[in-house]
Structure formats: structure tokens, C-alpha cells
Amino acid sequence: MSFWRVLLAIICPPLAVMGKGCGSVLIVFLLWLCGWVPGVIAALVILNNPKYAN
């Protein structure tokens, strides 16, 4: 997980998980609409998950 991805996850979570798949982007986007904090947490969890490592 790079510094720039973490920074992007804090600023705009859906953009940070753009390369992780359509489902991840959709989930993070919906959580981000519900509130900024849930979107950031979901983005950081997805970025930190080794299953989605690029």
C-alpha cells in the first residue's frame, strides 16, 4: 500500500480502489455516500487486503 494510495483513499475513497475491481468501487462509493468515514475505512481495508494485491 503506497503513500499516494492512502492519501487518495482519505481524499476520495472510490478513486483509490479504482484498480481493485468494479465491485470494490461500487461498495466504497455507496459507503462514501453514506458518510465520509465509512468510505475511507472501506477503502483502507480493501487496499490493505493481500487478496487484492497487484
Side-chain angles (χ1 to χ4, degrees):
M1 186 165 50
S2 73
F3 171 75
W4 299 111
R5 285 266 183 169
V6 172
L7 188 64
L8 192 58
I10 293 170
I11 296 170
C12 185
L15 291 178
V17 296
M18 192 64 76
K20 304 296 182 181
C22 183
S24 297
V25 175
L26 183 62
I27 290 170
V28 171
F29 182 74
L30 291 175
L31 285 170
W32 191 44
L33 286 178
C34 293
W36 178 75
V37 173
V40 170
I41 292 172
L44 291 175
V45 166
I46 289 171
L47 290 175
N48 201 28
N49 192 347
K51 177 182 171 187
Y52 295 107
N54 288 337

